[in-house]
Amino acid sequence: MATSLLRIPPPQGLLRPLAVPERLLLGPGPSNVPPRILAAGSRQLLGHMHPEVLQVMDEIKAGIQYAFQTQNRLTLAISGTGHCAMEAALLNLLEHGDPAMVAVNGIWGQRAADIARRLGADVHELLKPPGEYFTLWDVEEGLVRHKPLVLFITHGESSTGVLQPLEGLGELCHRHGCLLLVDAVASLGGAPIFMDQQEIDVLYSGSQKVLNAPPGSAPISFSERAREKMLRRKTQPPSFYLDMGWLANYWGCDGEARRYHHTAPINSFFSLREGLAMLAELGLENSWERHRANCAQLCQGLRDLGLELFVKEEKARLPTITAVSVPEGYDWKEITAFLMDNHSIEIAGGLGPSVGKVLRIGLMGCNSTSSNVDSVLRALQDALRRCRRSRL
Ligand code: PMP
C-alpha cells in the first residue's frame, strides 16, 4: 500500500454539518437577513461580465442613488465591507502630504485617522468626547486652523449611538476649499441623508445594517468635486483593487466599454440588489419614520427600566443604534451573555472609547419592529433581575 504523503488530516470540524443557530441580531450589525434577500443570495452563479450581472449592477447603482439621494454618475458598490469603502474613499481622495481633518467622537473617526496616516496624509484630529457631536462652529474652527483638503465625519457613530447633524456642513467645507467625506454605514436608510442637497462629496455605507443584506458589499458615491480632485492626482492610488478609475469603468460609470477588473462577489450583489429593492419599495421616508418610531419606543422602555441613555440630547440619538449606560452594579459582559444564552438575542457592549461604558441595541431595517423592541426590553428586564442576583 502506498504511504500517504499527507501530514495534515482532514479537519474534524469540517466533517460535521455546518452549524448556524437561530438568533435575533439586535446588536450594532449585522442585522438579520429576511428570506427574500437570503433567497437572492443563494441563486445560481452567473459570470461577472454577463449582461444580466451588469444589469444587476446598474440596478444597484440606481438603488444607491436613491438611498443616497444623489445624481452622481460615480456611484457603485465596493466588493468589501464598510471598512473597505472607508479605505477606498480615503486612498482615492488623499495623496501623500495632503492635509486632512478627521472628526473623532468615537471609533470610526479613530479608524479613519489611522487609515489616512498610513496613506501619508497630514492628519489633524478634531476631538469631541464620546456621546457628543460636532457643531458647525467646531468644524469651522478646524477648517480655518488646519486648512484641510478633506474632512471625514461619521453620520451614525455606532460606537456611541450619536447622530451627527449634517445640515450646512458641505457648504461650510466648500467655502473653505475642503471636500466633505461622510461615513453612513450605520445610518443609511435609518436617518435622513441627502447627498446632493447637503453637498456631501463622498458618501459610503454598508450592506449589513438597514439594508439587511449579508456583509461584503458597500455602497459608495463621489461628487463631481471629488472626481476632479481624483483626476488631479499626481500619483496613482496606492491600491489596485480599490482604484476608483478601474472600478468606475467596471461599474459602467465612465462611458467606456466595461473591462474585467476583479471577479465581483456576484451573489453578494444579488443580495444587495434585493436589500436596495426592499428599501425602494418601502420608501425612504417610511423607513426613516419606522426607525424613528421604534427607537423612540425603545428609549422610553429603557428609561422605564431605570436605565440611562448615553446620548443626552434626543435629536442627537441615532435611530438605528441606541447606547445605554451600563447600570451601576452590573457587568456588561454578563448582561450580553445572559441575553444570548437565555433569549437568543444579540446586543453588544461598547466599542473603542465606549467599551465598558455602554450597551448597544440595534434596530435596523426589518429588525426595526415594535415586537423586537418588546422582546429586547423583556430580555433586559430579566437580565437586570437575574444578573444582579448572581452578583450578591
Ligand atoms: N462605520 C460605521 C459607522 C460602522 O458602524 C461600521 C460597522 N460597525 C463600519 C464603519 C465598518 O463596517 P464593516 O464592519 O462592515 O467593515
Side-chain angles (χ1 to χ4, degrees), residues 28-30 80-86 107-108 111 152 154-159 183-187 204-209 215-218 318 321 351 360:
T81 69
H83 277 94
C84 206
M86 188 190 288
I107 196 169
W108 303 110
R111 295 228 166 145
F152 173 96
T154 310
H155 186 220
E157 224 310 333
S158 56
S159 65
D183 175 321
V185 172
S187 56
Y204 65 85
S205 190
S207 55
Q208 75 273 25
K209 308 235 179 191
S217 59
L318 183 57
I321 296 164
L351 183 66
R360 294 178 300 150

Side-chain angles (χ1 to χ4, degrees), residues 134-141 164-170 172:
F134 297 87
T135 63
L136 287 178
W137 190 81
D138 296 326
V139 173
E140 182 152 35
E141 214 186 25
Q164 170 65 45
L166 297 173
E167 225 37 71
L169 213 50
L172 177 65

Side-chain angles (χ1 to χ4, degrees), residues 216-289:
S217 59
I220 193 166
S221 180
F222 293 80
S223 72
E224 210 38 48
R225 275 191 184 89
R227 223 173 63 83
E228 281 161 15
K229 165 131 177 56
M230 295 192 288
L231 289 175
R232 285 197 306 270
R233 287 186 73 99
K234 293 186 226 47
T235 54
Q236 281 192 315
S239 162
F240 178 83
Y241 190 63
L242 298 176
D243 183 329
M244 213 39 71
W246 273 97
L247 291 173
N249 173 269
Y250 180 40
W251 277 85
C253 305
D254 65 358
E256 290 177 24
R258 297 186 186 197
R259 290 183 307 268
Y260 163 68
H261 170 249
H262 68 284
T263 308
I266 294 144
N267 297 58
S268 297
F269 287 177
F270 291 166
S271 304
L272 177 62
R273 188 239 179 241
E274 287 304 278
L276 288 164
M278 286 175 74
L279 181 62
E281 285 166 17
L282 175 63
L284 274 174
E285 283 153 330
N286 291 332
S287 183
W288 297 334
E289 172 53 23

